[in-house]
Amino acid sequence: MVFNTKMIFAVLFLCFSATCVIAGDPTLEHEWKITYGTIAPLGVPQQGILINGQFPGPVINCTSNNNIVVNVFNQLDEPILLTWAGVQQRKNSWQDGTPGAMCPILPGKNYTYRFQVKDQIGTYFYFPTTALHRASGGIGMIKIHNRNLIPIPFDKPADEYAVLLGDWYNKGHKSLKNILDSGRSIGRPDGIQINGQSNKVGDANAKPLFTFEAGKTYRLRVCNVGLRLSVNFRIQGHTMKVVEMEGSHTVQNVYDSLDLHVGQCMSVLVTADQTPKDYYFVASSRFAQHPLSTVAVIRYANGNGPASPELPPPPPENTKGIAWSISQFRSFRWNLTSNAARPNPQGSYKYGKINITRTIKLVNTRSSSNGKLRFGINGVSHVDTETPLKLAEYYGVADKVFTYNLMKDEPQEGNKVEVAPNVVNGTYRNFVEIIFENLEKTIQTWHLDGFSFFAVAIEPGRWSPEKRKNYNLLDAVSRCTIQVYPNSWAAVMTTLDNAGMWNLRSEMRERAYLGQQLYLSVVSEARSLRDEYSLPETQQLCGIVEALPKPAPYT
């Protein structure tokens, strides 16, 4: 059964537990049932994770400042959590959906998420953070529109479409988890899917991904929801104009093809200006030893003729391909004169003139512990705890669950890896620089919950302070993911202005599951509702805090 979304316009002052919302902000209510069901993204039937019988799951279609209520019924045989990647959960990491912030929803139970998409627009997606559930589904798109009073920097498109693409494994999430638990890698994916389907050139049974009308312009919101591989996408005979990335309006450059790394999202405008017939939407792997690709059909209304078997070529690979991809990254620029969620132009925030108060340099590693594969950051390989880190901190029993700052701001010498919860203190409202250095031969993608950051630089080689002269301190895109190429580094800057327990993770689920993640604890010493919401009355409790008296709420 599919449950319709209901919009309720608040008449009075609404309080979501400790999360208070001013009257007038609309509320969107969803009721989701998470179940198993048969899916076949690569043509091989397998057990998938469905939401209301759907894969991909329902789209959350909302507007800036809307209140979102999602009542999730877990009908699986395992605990599950959903995260809303890119939604910043202002003052509200209680709803972030990561194992470090929340107790999982147990089988046969339900939990109601309540959060506001405060001062945000853009393209994001949700997915399960527990075990390897993302490998079997439970994913869907989040579209946050501008309020009507805020102009957007392009004409309203005729329609817009969600495109969730990425690599896929024919093994289910349980089999993949068992492989990782045994100390081995899950290896390379079996193929690439687009909205739960894959097709070959010339497949007469391919259903159209969507339909264009000649002469009209469409917005495609595209996210890479895979587990491992960067993907390049392109449309036969059509160019794409990039207009938005993860909540930022961009300078509107036109591209023949675009690289999209794991966990990343963007919006492109495509004009149906070709002869009315079918055309292929092409998605192919990047920087993979064994290239993978798939196609989907874009159909013109009243068109006549199949798509041509001649596909647009992919970008170069290897060293030339990395240089090509870095060059494309540098072409993405913040639109300084455009509004985002607020009336003031994006460029009114002069991030390049803020003094850096802390530099954190993170080096990802692949190693082993007790003969089993582990991934880590600066010598620490994270493990989740029975008591969520945020709950332990709030209840004042953090010392019984984890140790702060095991990981240092600089990588340590040697190959020793400590397997332990990885929690780093962050000073509230400090402006920090984070350097990601990748000494491995595979590309990395990183995501930070709770914040957006300015992606100021990507370069080959090693980072040093002298590299700051190459930073883009004017119009770097504000976003929540960043890729790091092999033997390269990336730099981002952000203000830690959102109190909570926030996950910084590899978007490669194998690596995150085996330790390549950390939690950033940002605490406001004021313990004030101005800075952070108190523990919601309806919050699930687990671990050692379950029997403890609740602390006094913030005031």
Side-chain angles (χ1 to χ4, degrees), residues 276-549:
K277 65 182 192 73
D278 287 355
Y279 294 87
Y280 282 127
F281 181 107
V282 185
S284 58
S285 60
R286 293 287 277 147
F287 317 117
Q289 289 184 342
H290 301 273
L292 300 170
S293 65
T294 191
V295 297
V297 172
I298 296 176
R299 180 155 294 164
Y300 273 60
N302 302 314
N304 183 22
S308 167
E310 297 182 10
L311 300 181
E317 286 289 339
N318 302 318
T319 303
K320 289 184 178 180
I322 291 173
W324 184 96
S325 194
I326 291 177
S327 177
Q328 185 172 88
F329 162 82
R330 290 173 178 162
S331 73
F332 300 145
R333 299 291 176 131
W334 215 26
N335 188 332
L336 298 180
T337 60
S338 167
N339 306 305
R342 294 181 175 182
N344 49 306
Q346 292 180 145
S348 61
Y349 185 72
K350 309 294 185 182
Y351 69 93
K353 295 184 178 181
I354 304 174
N355 291 328
I356 297 169
T357 56
R358 181 182 180 185
T359 297
I360 305 173
K361 181 180 177 182
L362 304 178
V363 176
N364 51 275
T365 57
R366 177 187 179 117
S367 59
S368 64
S369 176
N370 296 323
K372 291 187 175 183
L373 177 65
R374 296 296 303 183
F375 297 98
I377 311 169
N378 290 7
V380 180
S381 183
H382 174 79
V383 289
D384 290 325
T385 54
E386 182 182 1
T387 304
L389 308 169
K390 178 60 180 174
L391 283 174
E393 185 176 73
Y394 186 80
Y395 274 78
V397 292
D399 59 325
K400 295 180 172 59
V401 177
F402 64 89
T403 301
Y404 289 104
N405 301 319
L406 281 179
M407 190 200 80
K408 307 308 177 186
D409 286 1
E410 290 273 348
Q412 306 299 297
E413 294 184 3
N415 297 321
K416 183 180 178 181
V417 174
E418 183 171 0
V419 179
N422 194 357
V423 184
V424 176
N425 279 126
T427 303
Y428 186 52
R429 292 181 175 165
N430 268 13
F431 188 70
V432 301
E433 171 190 48
I434 305 175
I435 310 300
F436 301 97
E437 197 167 83
N438 178 20
L439 307 182
E440 299 186 58
K441 297 180 180 179
T442 56
I443 192 169
Q444 308 289 319
T445 311
W446 295 86
H447 173 92
L448 177 60
D449 282 349
F451 307 91
S452 59
F453 50 62
F454 292 95
V456 295
I458 293 178
E459 288 189 0
R462 301 286 186 95
W463 180 85
S464 64
E466 293 74 26
K467 299 291 186 180
R468 291 189 181 115
K469 67 179 183 296
N470 299 332
Y471 285 5
N472 176 359
L473 298 180
L474 176 65
D475 58 359
V477 177
S478 174
R479 55 190 309 175
C480 54
T481 62
I482 186 73
Q483 72 271 21
V484 193
Y485 298 93
N487 298 306
S488 300
W489 59 269
V492 304
M493 295 175 168
T494 191
T495 301
L496 302 182
D497 59 355
N498 192 14
M501 184 71 72
W502 305 110
N503 191 211
L504 174 59
R505 61 180 175 268
S506 168
E507 274 297 293
M508 284 70 171
R509 290 309 295 168
E510 172 185 66
R511 300 185 76 101
Y513 180 77
L514 292 181
Q516 192 174 314
Q517 58 175 305
L518 61 83
Y519 282 86
L520 189 61
S521 171
V522 181
V523 175
S524 168
E525 298 299 333
R527 292 182 64 86
S528 168
L529 290 173
R530 177 199 64 196
D531 301 329
E532 185 177 13
Y533 298 131
S534 298
L535 176 74
E537 290 296 326
T538 57
Q539 196 75 354
Q540 300 176 122
L541 300 179
C542 53
I544 65 173
V545 305
E546 195 166 7
L548 296 179

Side-chain angles (χ1 to χ4, degrees), residues 51 56-60 124-127 138-142 164 225:
I51 299 179
V59 174
I60 293 181
Y124 312 99
F125 68 100
Y126 60 84
F127 69 91
I139 54 177
M141 181 160 282
I142 303 170
L164 298 175
V225 298

Side-chain angles (χ1 to χ4, degrees), residues 108-283:
K109 303 295 183 180
N110 73 296
Y111 176 78
T112 301
Y113 291 88
R114 303 177 188 271
F115 57 90
Q116 186 181 26
V117 288
K118 179 67 174 173
D119 291 333
Q120 284 192 264
I121 61 162
T123 304
Y124 312 99
F125 68 100
Y126 60 84
F127 69 91
T129 54
T130 38
L132 264 289
H133 290 135
R134 178 164 154 181
S136 290
I139 54 177
M141 181 160 282
I142 303 170
K143 301 193 294 187
I144 309 178
H145 301 272
N146 288 72
R147 291 173 290 163
N148 288 335
L149 60 94
I150 307 295
I152 58 175
F154 49 88
D155 292 335
K156 184 178 180 180
D159 206 343
E160 62 176 54
Y161 298 104
V163 182
L164 298 175
L165 50 76
D167 59 50
W168 192 263
Y169 291 78
N170 285 327
K171 292 185 177 72
H173 69 275
K174 292 182 179 180
S175 296
L176 294 174
K177 179 179 178 295
N178 288 338
I179 291 170
L180 294 181
D181 289 343
S182 73
R184 296 173 291 141
S185 169
I186 58 175
R188 62 177 182 266
D190 296 297
I192 293 175
Q193 61 82 29
I194 304 173
N195 284 2
Q197 301 179 39
S198 62
N199 299 289
K200 296 180 179 179
V201 172
D203 187 348
N205 297 318
K207 298 178 181 179
L209 188 64
F210 32 75
T211 300
F212 285 172
E213 291 187 28
K216 294 185 176 181
T217 297
Y218 297 84
R219 180 177 184 172
L220 309 186
R221 296 179 183 256
V222 190
C223 294
N224 183 341
V225 298
L227 302 186
R228 190 182 187 100
L229 296 180
S230 299
V231 170
N232 179 273
F233 68 94
R234 49 209 183 270
I235 301 175
Q236 205 173 42
H238 296 73
T239 57
M240 300 173 289
K241 181 184 291 184
V242 175
V243 293
E244 177 262 331
M245 285 182 171
E246 297 165 19
S248 287
H249 287 134
T250 60
V251 173
Q252 296 176 17
N253 295 325
V254 176
Y255 302 86
D256 293 319
S257 73
L258 287 157
D259 279 356
L260 195 62
H261 307 280
V262 180
Q264 295 185 346
C265 298
M266 65 172 61
S267 293
V268 299
L269 297 181
V270 180
T271 299
D273 55 3
Q274 300 298 305
T275 302
K277 65 182 192 73
D278 287 355
Y279 294 87
Y280 282 127
F281 181 107
V282 185

